[in-house]
Amino acid sequence: MARPIIALFVGAQNAIEALVSLAAYRLSNLRPRGYYALFAFGGGALVAAAAVFRPSAMILLALYSGLMKLVAVVFEGRLQHAIGSGQRATISSVKGFMAQIGITALYVGFGPVAQAASYRIAFMACGCTGVAVGLGYLAAPRLGRPSVQ
């Protein structure tokens, strides 16, 4: 793929994330199960992009980015409302740190899979992980979970 096309894709991806961030408040009342479903759907978009693995799959990657940004923005907003102001900075900092640990683990796992198999398989594995996490939360019993509306 030509470098100018990659630059256009990255620009479009950032624009989609910005638009989703602006509109995320409309889904702030979605029940947690809805977010789990969106997370699983995002993983499915990544799996589909890996299955297609052609330049046209960039649309699915942009969809994935938008869905993940939507989930992240709404989750952050709900977290901010649920935390008292005295603990907000600490909890938000720990959440950000844990997110970076998760992303680092993803990168550490992606590289060896891509090297051993292919980028296509590595993307597919990441997408399958996203689907499994989303569906796992959807299927998990509700016992012990706080009731968040």
Side-chain angles (χ1 to χ4, degrees):
M1 186 178 302
R3 287 186 181 166
I5 300 297
I6 294 171
L8 285 173
F9 167 71
V10 171
Q13 187 178 25
N14 286 325
I16 288 168
E17 288 183 11
L19 290 173
V20 166
S21 295
L22 289 171
Y25 74 93
R26 295 179 185 264
L27 291 177
S28 62
N29 292 327
L30 190 64
R31 294 183 173 271
R33 294 180 58 78
Y35 297 112
Y36 306 149
L38 286 174
F39 198 88
F41 187 70
L46 194 54
V47 168
V52 172
F53 210 65
R54 299 204 185 290
S56 60
M58 301 297 260
I59 295 167
L60 293 167
L61 293 177
L63 174 65
Y64 169 78
S65 291
L67 286 169
M68 293 301 101
K69 179 57 82 174
L70 175 68
V71 170
V73 168
V74 174
F75 176 78
E76 182 68 29
R78 292 178 73 158
L79 181 65
Q80 294 299 318
H81 288 295
I83 301 170
S85 61
Q87 300 130 342
R88 189 171 292 151
T90 302
I91 292 174
S92 292
S93 176
V94 170
K95 182 206 70 85
F97 180 69
M98 296 305 290
Q100 289 304 313
I101 288 174
I103 289 172
T104 300
L106 177 71
Y107 291 158
V108 168
F110 186 93
V113 172
Q115 191 171 19
S118 68
Y119 278 103
R120 185 180 201 173
I121 299 297
F123 276 115
M124 197 163 288
C126 289
C128 287
T129 301
V131 170
V133 168
L135 292 179
Y137 272 103
L138 276 171
R142 299 192 65 159
L143 297 175
R145 287 193 200 164
S147 176
V148 178
Q149 299 298 325

